[in-house]
């Protein structure tokens, strides 16, 4: 379709929404949402066929205004906290889902490298974990308590210390996206290899089962959150490298804002992981095995649902899948 015909066909609809935005015309939230979807479809079409046209810039601005109008009108009727965690973040997770998938792929590729390196080099575990940690863990395994390292210090002190450390790691992953995502990649490589070495080390010393039922009580939320934080870093890097139809600064602002919201959403999971490590993991060897794996299973299902399933449900609710 020629650009002139495209404008003529849709001009009335765009003008109608301008009236709604300026509050000169009142419409129900559902009608506004439907108009928003139509504006988004027109924007995608314009970006495809008229990428450098003024009509594309116009629709970009209109789409942003329509987004604000739709979701601000919905938010007024909802608790801000609930809106953020159960609408805004899932929609952003859906919009940037390819970066979440990329983060998982990079993490598990590096995890595999860590496993292979440990199994093929007897000194690799010491290079990554350090001699003191390895020697202490071997002593714990020989004494029959592989998870003894998690019993040092008070519950409260361990909880605070672990949360502070994990949040610093997550913040570094997020902010390292400013270095075009390369810094984030470095943190992912290091941490994924370290987790793999940790598990391979316990396997080599016939304590894999004890480590699985102990470490992953807190590790499920901790590592999954780390992967999401890395995805937020990749979003920042991509917003700088691939601005698309936006000016680079505008693309960066949008990417930074979306990444920050996604990063904030991981804080409750990181907090829970620290609590579990401080108060629950230390008792893994005396807890019934089914209780340990019940906690691990619930953690995995809940965080997977939040970042991998709920985004599609919320996007479908807002009719953004088409």
């Amino acid at each position: 379709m020629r650009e002139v015909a495209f404008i003529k066909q849709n001009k009335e609809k765009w003008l109608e929404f301008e009236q709604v935005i300026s509050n000169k015309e009142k419409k129900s939230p559902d009608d506004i949402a439907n108009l928003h979807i139509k504006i988004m479809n027109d924007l995608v079409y314009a970006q495809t066929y008229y990428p450098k046209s003024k009509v594309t810039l116009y629709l970009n601005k209109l789409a942003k205004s329509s987004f604000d109008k739709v979701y601000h009108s919905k938010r007024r009727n909802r608790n801000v906290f609930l809106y953020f965690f159960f609408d805004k973040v899932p929609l952003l997770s859906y919009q940037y889902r390819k970066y979440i998938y990329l983060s998982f792929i990079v993490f598990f590729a590096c995890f595999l490298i860590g496993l292979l390196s440990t199994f093929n080099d007897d000194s690799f575990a010491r290079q990554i974990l350090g001699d003191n940690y390895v020697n202490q863990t071997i002593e714990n395994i020989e004494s029959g308590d592989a998870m003894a390292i998690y019993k040092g210090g008070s519950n409260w002190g361990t909880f605070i210390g672990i949360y502070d450390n994990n949040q610093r790691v997550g913040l570094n992953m997020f902010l390292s996206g400013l270095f075009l995502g390369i810094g984030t990649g470095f943190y992912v490589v290091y941490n994924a290899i370290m987790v793999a070495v940790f598990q391979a080390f316990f396997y080599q010393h016939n304590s894999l089962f004890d480590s699985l039922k102990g470490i992953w009580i807190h590790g499920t939320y901790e590592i999954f959150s780390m992967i999401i934080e890395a995805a937020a870093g990749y979003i920042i890097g991509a917003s700088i490298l691939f601005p698309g139809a936006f000016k680079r600064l505008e693309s960066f602002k949008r990417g930074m804002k979306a990444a920050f919201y996604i990063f904030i959403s991981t804080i409750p999971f990181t907090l829970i992981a620290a609590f579990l490590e401080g108060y629950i993991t230390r008792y893994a060897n005396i807890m019934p095995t089914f209780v340990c794996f019940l906690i691990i299973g619930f953690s995995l299902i809940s965080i997977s649902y939040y970042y991998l399933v709920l985004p599609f449900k919320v996007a479908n609710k807002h009719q953004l899948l088409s």
Side-chain angles (χ1 to χ4, degrees):
M1 183 188 302
R2 296 180 62 182
E3 184 178 348
V4 174
F6 173 70
I7 295 173
K8 185 177 180 180
Q9 178 179 310
N10 296 289
K11 182 178 180 181
E12 185 177 339
K13 173 179 40 181
W14 304 339
L15 293 175
E16 179 186 3
F17 202 82
E18 283 188 359
Q19 295 293 312
V20 174
I21 292 171
S22 61
N23 293 317
K24 293 179 180 179
E25 184 176 340
K26 300 295 182 181
K27 285 188 176 293
S28 69
D30 288 338
D31 288 338
I32 294 175
N34 288 332
L35 270 175
H36 167 68
I37 293 167
K38 292 176 182 178
I39 297 297
M40 292 299 295
N41 289 337
D42 290 344
L43 173 60
V44 171
Y45 186 90
Q47 287 174 333
T48 302
Y49 294 102
Y50 327 114
K52 297 182 180 181
S53 171
K54 289 184 178 180
V55 72
T56 304
L57 294 175
Y58 165 76
L59 287 172
N60 261 323
K61 293 179 181 178
L62 194 61
K64 184 180 185 303
S65 298
S66 69
F67 182 91
D68 292 340
K69 188 72 175 179
V70 169
Y71 297 109
H72 286 180
S73 65
K74 289 179 178 294
R75 182 168 54 181
R76 280 195 293 267
N77 298 320
R78 296 193 58 182
N79 180 280
V80 174
F81 180 85
L82 294 177
Y83 166 78
F84 177 81
F85 281 101
F86 295 102
D87 261 302
K88 193 172 192 67
V89 170
L91 284 171
L92 289 172
S93 297
Y94 175 79
Q95 182 181 352
Y96 293 97
R97 61 193 180 280
K98 64 181 179 181
Y99 297 102
I100 293 177
Y101 301 156
L102 172 65
S103 189
F104 273 101
I105 292 170
V106 172
F107 183 89
F108 284 109
C110 295
F111 183 88
L112 180 60
I113 291 171
L115 288 180
L116 295 175
S117 299
T118 307
F119 290 138
N120 288 282
D121 183 352
D122 293 337
S123 66
F124 192 70
R126 290 183 178 275
Q127 293 175 32
I128 299 298
L129 301 177
D131 287 330
N132 290 336
Y133 184 89
V134 169
N135 292 335
Q136 182 180 350
T137 302
I138 290 175
E139 290 179 9
N140 293 336
I141 291 172
E142 291 176 347
S143 67
D145 190 359
M147 296 293 101
I149 198 166
Y150 291 101
K151 297 180 179 180
S154 65
N155 300 94
W156 177 253
T158 301
F159 165 52
I160 295 299
I162 292 297
Y163 173 72
D164 178 66
N165 176 73
N166 292 348
Q167 200 61 73
R168 286 174 183 270
V169 171
L171 187 61
N172 285 334
M173 284 191 168
F174 164 65
L175 292 178
S176 294
L178 292 169
F179 300 100
L180 308 181
I182 297 173
T184 298
F186 170 79
Y187 277 105
V188 171
V189 170
Y190 177 77
N191 283 280
I193 289 177
M194 185 169 65
V195 172
V197 171
F198 198 71
Q199 290 292 204
F201 177 77
F202 277 100
Y203 173 82
Q204 290 174 326
H205 289 81
N206 301 312
S207 298
L208 178 63
F209 183 77
D210 288 337
S211 72
L212 288 176
K213 78 171 189 176
I215 294 169
W216 291 99
I217 285 178
H218 63 271
T220 304
Y221 278 150
E222 182 180 312
I223 300 303
F224 205 120
S225 295
M226 188 185 299
I227 293 172
I228 301 300
E229 289 157 351
Y234 295 143
I235 291 170
I236 297 174
S239 72
I240 301 171
L241 290 171
F242 311 109
F246 300 104
K247 291 183 178 180
R248 200 173 299 276
L249 181 59
E250 178 64 22
S251 174
F252 170 70
K253 288 179 180 178
R254 287 170 175 262
M256 187 70 184
K257 184 177 180 180
F260 178 69
Y261 287 154
I262 291 173
F263 168 73
I264 289 296
S265 74
T266 66
I267 292 178
F269 294 109
T270 303
L271 196 62
I272 295 171
F275 173 83
L276 290 171
E277 186 168 354
Y279 286 87
I280 308 298
T281 298
R282 65 178 61 214
Y283 303 115
N285 66 326
I286 60 175
M287 290 168 56
T289 299
F290 85 91
V291 174
C292 295
F293 284 104
L294 186 65
I295 296 172
I296 295 169
F298 175 80
S299 299
L300 181 60
I301 291 171
S302 58
I303 197 168
S304 296
Y305 178 83
Y306 185 72
Y307 286 108
L308 301 178
V309 179
L310 184 61
F312 283 88
K313 289 182 175 292
V314 175
N316 185 59
K317 182 179 72 174
H318 290 288
Q319 303 177 45
L320 298 181
L321 287 174
S322 56

